[in-house]
């Protein structure tokens, strides 16, 4: 079944630069707002927030654009579904930065660097913002560490800068570079997280017992693992993918080291994974073959042969995000384009 068969529910935004990082806002009053980051191989990059208006000619309106040093490796809005926190946006690159966003301006609230003793900083590959406690963020770095940050978000008093952050804990997570980090919803959703890296392993940590970690999976060829993504409804399942790999591996933390499913219909390397926010058995994968595929993994551990939906973009898809507050919308980006698709 193809998305093209439905009535046109595809809205496209063309940026003046290649788009890489991208994500949905979750605030109830900003539902169809996304942030996207440029990928320009130099110091000067951009972050832009856009809102979809669902018109045919100019479906997106640009709210604001601000400068960002180096390309953003990831962008996330504060996971604040009730709209009670300040309207914050986090970006990772050379540092973790927290921005306060409004329709008229954006200002940097804090810049978090865990290497206080030197001008050198190891680039951050990714980060995750804890959904249960938005005062917690975790970053992953090429220096083999993960850092958990505590954020203080005070009330807005005039122009006083009241967002600050501190290192809660830093740990050597892998033997080589760490490429991704994600908090799990297990055990209350605050203390468990996992990471993947260049050593080809998925490791799980508990903030209450950091003296040891659990290796959930190791790539048989020791290929670096680039991404991991937790199932939004069932914290026993997560998905990961290897560098230059054409398949996505689904893991069950109760059965470590043995994948429960392999999704391998892509014809080029996979770049993105997004679980459905509202269903434990649907996942979207996106790849250099221009395809975004949605899979139903209900019959695991029987083999999953084919996706249930396929969408072909006009370029190599490098990112996919499933909107957590409006689950019938998926965003993809390729070349200089952002598209949102109704599924």
């Amino acid at each position: 079944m193809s998305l093209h068969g439905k009535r046109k529910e595809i809205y496209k935004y063309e940026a003046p630069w290649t788009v890489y990082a991208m994500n949905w806002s979750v605030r109830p009053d900003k539902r169809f707002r996304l942030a996207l980051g440029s990928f320009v191989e130099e110091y000067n990059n951009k972050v832009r927030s856009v809102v979809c208006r669902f018109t045919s000619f100019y479906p997106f309106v640009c709210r604001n654009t601000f400068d960002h040093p180096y390309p953003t490796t990831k962008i996330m809005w504060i996971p604040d579904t009730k709209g009670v926190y300040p309207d914050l946006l986090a970006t990772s690159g050379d540092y973790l930065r927290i921005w306060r966003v409004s329709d008229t301006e954006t200002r940097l609230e804090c810049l978090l660097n865990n290497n206080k003793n030197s001008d050198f900083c190891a680039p951050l590959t990714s980060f995750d913002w804890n959904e249960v406690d938005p005062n917690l963020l975790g970053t992953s770095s090429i220096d083999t560490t993960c850092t958990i940050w505590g954020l203080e978000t005070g009330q807005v008093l005039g122009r006083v800068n009241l967002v600050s952050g501190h290192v809660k804990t830093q740990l050597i997570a892998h033997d080589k570079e760490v490429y991704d980090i994600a908090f799990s919803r297990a055990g209350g959703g605050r203390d468990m997280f996992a990471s993947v890296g260049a050593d080809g392993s998925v490791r799980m940590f508990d903030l209450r017992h950091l003296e040891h970690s659990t290796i959930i999976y190791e790539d048989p060829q020791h290929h670096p693992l680039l991404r991991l993504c937790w199932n939004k409804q069932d914290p026993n399942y997560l998905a990961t993918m290897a560098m230059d790999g054409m398949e996505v591996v689904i893991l069950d933390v109760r059965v470590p080291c043995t994948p429960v499913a392999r999704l391998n219909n892509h014809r080029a390397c996979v770049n993105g994974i997004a679980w459905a926010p509202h269903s434990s058995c649907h996942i979207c994968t996106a790849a250099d073959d221009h395809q975004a595929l949605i899979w139903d993994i209900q019959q695991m551990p029987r083999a999953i042969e084919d996706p249930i939906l396929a969408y072909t973009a006009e370029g190599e898809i490098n990112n996919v995000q499933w909107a957590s507050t409006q689950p019938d919308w998926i965003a993809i980006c390729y070349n200089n384009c952002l598209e949102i698709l109704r599924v």
Side-chain angles (χ1 to χ4, degrees):
M1 183 179 175
S2 164
L3 273 177
H4 289 295
K6 302 192 173 187
R7 64 194 171 94
K8 182 175 184 299
E9 287 283 12
I10 300 165
Y11 298 92
K12 181 176 182 176
Y13 177 76
E14 293 188 44
W17 19 256
T18 301
V19 181
Y20 175 65
M22 161 275 290
N23 225 324
W24 296 88
S25 167
V26 300
R27 284 178 73 91
D29 55 338
K30 309 273 190 202
R31 285 186 35 186
F32 284 92
R33 178 179 65 171
L34 297 102
L36 41 151
S38 68
F39 185 84
V40 182
E41 290 190 26
E42 54 187 59
Y43 186 72
N44 296 315
N45 275 262
K46 302 284 183 191
V47 172
R48 176 168 288 185
S49 93
V50 297
V51 177
C52 188
R53 299 179 304 178
F54 303 101
T55 55
S56 38
F57 289 113
Y58 294 107
F60 284 89
V61 57
C62 172
R63 284 285 182 242
N64 58 14
T65 305
F66 59 93
D67 292 325
H68 193 279
Y70 302 108
T72 49
T73 51
K74 189 168 180 180
I75 288 178
M76 271 187 91
W77 299 88
I78 186 167
D80 175 20
T81 52
K82 297 191 170 64
V84 295
Y85 287 88
D87 197 3
L88 301 177
L89 179 71
T91 60
S92 54
D94 50 346
Y95 300 113
L96 180 66
R97 290 176 172 82
I98 312 292
W99 311 81
R100 188 183 298 256
V101 180
S102 75
D103 281 351
T104 52
E105 61 163 357
T106 303
R107 64 190 175 102
L108 182 63
E109 288 287 329
C110 57
L111 180 149
L112 302 175
N113 168 23
N114 56 12
N115 195 345
K116 291 284 181 281
N117 312 323
S118 113
D119 295 335
F120 171 78
C121 62
L124 300 179
T125 49
S126 187
F127 73 95
D128 195 23
W129 205 326
N130 191 293
E131 291 180 6
V132 172
D133 181 357
N135 294 312
L136 282 182
L137 295 98
T139 55
S140 57
S141 169
I142 65 167
D143 68 4
T144 76
T145 66
C146 289
T147 304
I148 305 299
W149 297 88
L151 205 63
E152 292 79 42
T153 54
Q155 297 305 306
V156 189
L157 300 174
R159 297 289 296 166
V160 184
N161 190 342
L162 278 177
V163 178
S164 60
H166 65 277
V167 175
K168 285 180 84 76
T169 186
Q170 183 175 20
L171 56 135
I172 294 175
H174 287 259
D175 306 328
K176 295 181 179 175
E177 297 95 331
V178 191
Y179 289 138
D180 203 4
I181 180 173
F183 286 103
S184 162
R185 292 192 175 185
R190 188 183 179 278
D191 297 296
M192 317 276 280
F193 67 93
S195 60
V196 292
D199 59 10
S201 68
V202 181
R203 303 189 184 207
M204 190 146 177
F205 300 87
D206 187 327
L207 286 174
R208 297 158 297 192
H209 311 287
L210 280 175
E211 60 279 1
H212 58 84
S213 64
T214 308
I215 295 182
I216 301 173
Y217 174 71
E218 290 186 285
D219 183 84
Q221 279 81 42
H222 302 289
H223 290 152
L225 298 177
L226 288 189
R227 292 278 170 270
L228 84 152
C229 197
W230 287 99
N231 188 306
K232 300 289 187 228
Q233 294 292 326
D234 185 340
N236 290 312
Y237 293 108
L238 71 154
T240 187
M241 69 200 205
M243 185 183 284
D244 300 327
M246 295 191 213
E247 70 173 10
V248 170
V249 174
I250 310 283
L251 306 170
D252 183 337
V253 295
R254 298 163 297 189
V255 193
C257 303
T258 311
V260 284
R262 294 176 185 276
L263 311 178
N264 49 19
N265 272 45
H266 283 291
R267 296 289 167 261
C269 65
V270 178
N271 297 318
I273 312 167
W275 288 93
H278 59 305
S279 155
S280 63
C281 55
H282 291 94
I283 185 169
C284 183
T285 60
D288 274 355
D289 60 4
H290 300 202
Q291 297 253 297
L293 306 177
I294 295 179
W295 308 78
D296 182 346
I297 58 167
Q298 214 162 350
Q299 68 250 37
M300 290 190 313
R302 287 212 310 266
I304 316 293
E305 300 292 343
D306 292 304
I308 55 167
L309 270 177
Y311 175 70
T312 305
E314 292 164 23
E316 299 175 350
I317 304 174
N318 59 36
N319 201 335
V320 57
Q321 300 288 341
W322 203 318
S324 59
T325 51
Q326 50 270 8
D328 41 357
W329 290 92
I330 286 176
I332 59 168
C333 52
Y334 59 89
N335 302 337
N336 66 327
C337 298
L338 160 78
E339 283 185 347
I340 66 169
L341 318 168
R342 192 178 189 120
V343 293

